[in-house]
Amino acid sequence: MASASRRAASARAEPGESLREQLRAATMAAHELLDHAMQAASGWQTRADYARFLSLQHAARVPLEAWLADNAPTDLEPPRQTALVASDLAALGLSLPAASPAFAPSNYRDPGAALGAAWVLAGSALGNKHTAKQVERIGGGAWPAAFLGDAAMMAFWQGLRARIEQPADPAEAEGATRAAEAVFAHFLGVAEAARTPESLPA
Ligand code: HEM
């Protein structure tokens, strides 16, 4: 699927391809890059790693949630998760990190933009489910996991599936893809900034 991952945002869908498949193909390489960057910046092998992981999640998600609140119709605004991350950080005895730069995709008015951004945040709950199991095991069940175990985002994800598991109008698909790419780029920027030692909490 390497060729699919390099597909341009404006490329036409394969015949019968769903919007979800299109989005996954277009952002596969970005997701892999982000996964590696996050493991390098934080990971969750120790309590301190996990604290960095949560700080990074909080910093990245504050502007994304703000953008969605301003730009998404109600049915496409995913449940906010930063309060859950904040409660996990507080349980670890940590204060909140500074927010990352504003999220401002250039195509914010395009059809599909809110849908694409919502897909990334909701889809990340799938990865969080896997991570939650590892955190549970490594932390011996003692680490707070309100964010990783968020049932509201999983419920939102299930609702979104009906909308994305069918082919989309090409303009909507392109807008969604561009916005999804912008969300991955935003997260990647935060993860890469967190790799500089002075920005990491002790
Ligand atoms: C810590 C690094 C990460 C790991 C290890 C990871 C892992 C995964 C895994 C295993 C899946 C597939 C789950 C399944 O199909 O059951 C997945 C899907 C996904 N993740 Fe991640 N993820 C990470 C970070 C992120 C972040 C930060 C975002 C975006 C904010 C993200 C967005 C997505 C999306 C959009 C999907 C696909 C949803 C779909 O299938 O339509 N991931 N991730």
Side-chain angles (χ1 to χ4, degrees):
M1 287 289 283
S3 59
S5 68
R6 283 196 291 273
R7 225 194 284 166
S10 55
R12 263 188 251 129
E14 306 284 329
E17 195 175 38
S18 71
L19 177 59
R20 182 180 179 191
E21 288 166 327
Q22 258 187 286
L23 289 169
R24 284 180 64 146
T27 61
M28 191 184 293
H31 185 280
E32 212 172 291
L33 213 60
L34 177 60
D35 181 0
H36 287 131
M38 286 185 65
Q39 306 273 1
S42 60
W44 43 82
Q45 294 307 308
T46 66
R47 198 172 182 275
D49 287 344
Y50 182 50
R52 277 194 291 271
F53 169 82
L54 291 172
S55 292
L56 197 161
Q57 290 280 355
H58 194 276
R61 285 175 193 265
V62 165
L64 292 169
E65 288 182 357
W67 185 81
L68 280 155
D70 287 346
N71 294 281
T74 318
D75 62 333
L76 282 180
E77 188 185 345
R80 298 192 194 188
Q81 295 189 297
T82 45
L84 300 176
V85 185
S87 75
D88 288 340
L89 281 167
L92 290 172
L94 292 165
S95 50
L96 297 182
S100 58
F103 175 69
S106 55
N107 77 325
Y108 73 105
R109 282 187 197 280
D110 289 0
L115 179 57
W119 168 75
V120 184
L121 291 194
S124 75
L126 298 180
N128 282 353
K129 242 177 119 171
H130 291 253
T131 307
K133 286 191 192 130
Q134 296 178 31
V135 163
E136 163 81 17
R137 181 175 49 77
I138 298 167
W143 296 350
F147 164 62
L148 289 177
D150 181 18
M153 188 61 103
M154 279 313 291
F156 177 83
W157 165 253
Q158 292 304 341
L160 195 66
R161 284 181 54 186
R163 186 138 176 195
I164 60 175
E165 289 180 353
Q166 55 180 311
D169 165 77
E172 185 181 45
E174 182 166 337
T177 303
R178 291 242 160 94
E181 288 172 335
V183 175
F184 275 108
H186 171 82
F187 248 96
L188 191 63
V190 177
E192 285 182 338
R195 285 168 84 164
T196 55
E198 65 275 14
S199 67
L200 299 177

